[in-house]
Amino acid sequence: RRFDPDSLQISSLLMARRIVEKDEGVYGRQRFLILPNPLKQCSRDGQVTFYFEIYNLKQDKFGATHYGVSYQMQVLPEKGVNTTSEPEWTTEVSYDYQGSRDWETYRLTLKMNESTPGIRAFRVSVKDLQSNEEVEGTTAFRVKW
């Protein structure tokens, strides 16, 4: 997909079976070997791994960036199950980062230790702390027995 070169952007969230970073090569997506998980499923005693990229971070006059990343999950109701309330998002992790590039690659692995089976929504929120711009990316996956 195309990205606006003037505003903070996040790529699609790719669920992967495994991500390996190579020791050599320039920084960028070519440095990673990403084995996708096209079924978007994980075991309740396994783990789930996501890869995404952030574009157009604002750099100060020294080339430094400063931004926050928050990861959240939500348990979604199964199709055909009536529910009266919207499921809540729970924050798993929030971090502030400082960098030196106007774009970054990310990989995140979450352990699903003894999670209940079902559908989950996963959301990443990014806030550029220098420009105050915010973006979100969301995807869904299934936790199996």
Side-chain angles (χ1 to χ4, degrees):
R1 82 181 202 212
R2 292 182 181 258
F3 294 98
D4 181 353
D6 298 324
S7 63
L8 185 65
Q9 302 281 309
I10 186 171
S11 70
S12 299
L13 306 178
L14 173 66
M15 187 170 172
R17 288 182 288 153
R18 192 166 146 205
I19 300 173
V20 177
E21 185 173 0
K22 302 172 195 170
D23 291 332
E24 70 284 337
V26 294
Y27 183 79
R29 80 176 54 95
Q30 298 82 10
R31 188 174 180 129
F32 298 97
L33 173 62
I34 302 170
L35 302 173
N37 183 338
L39 298 178
K40 294 188 174 186
Q41 296 180 7
C42 73
S43 162
R44 66 185 284 269
D45 289 324
Q47 61 187 25
V48 59
T49 301
F50 294 96
Y51 175 87
F52 61 96
E53 297 171 355
I54 302 169
Y55 302 101
N56 304 320
L57 291 162
K58 183 173 179 165
Q59 294 177 296
D60 65 15
K61 63 182 177 181
F62 303 106
T65 60
H66 189 201
Y67 55 99
V69 179
S70 177
Y71 312 99
Q72 298 175 313
M73 222 179 306
Q74 181 183 55
V75 178
L76 298 176
E78 294 286 339
K79 289 182 181 177
V81 175
N82 292 329
T83 181
T84 58
S85 63
E86 179 72 21
E88 292 186 29
W89 287 97
T90 56
T91 300
E92 298 292 328
V93 180
S94 289
Y95 289 111
D96 278 359
Y97 294 98
Q98 293 183 342
S100 59
R101 290 180 291 274
D102 65 349
W103 71 280
E104 295 287 347
T105 63
Y106 275 88
R107 55 196 159 136
L108 172 70
T109 299
L110 302 172
K111 294 186 184 215
M112 302 303 291
N113 294 350
E114 299 181 21
S115 295
T116 57
I119 301 171
R120 303 284 191 284
F122 178 70
R123 174 169 66 186
V124 173
S125 300
V126 178
K127 181 173 184 178
D128 189 324
L129 299 172
Q130 296 191 90
S131 69
N132 282 328
E133 287 185 273
E134 293 183 60
V135 292
E136 286 184 357
T138 305
T139 192
F141 67 99
R142 179 176 293 280
V143 177
K144 303 181 321 175
W145 282 103

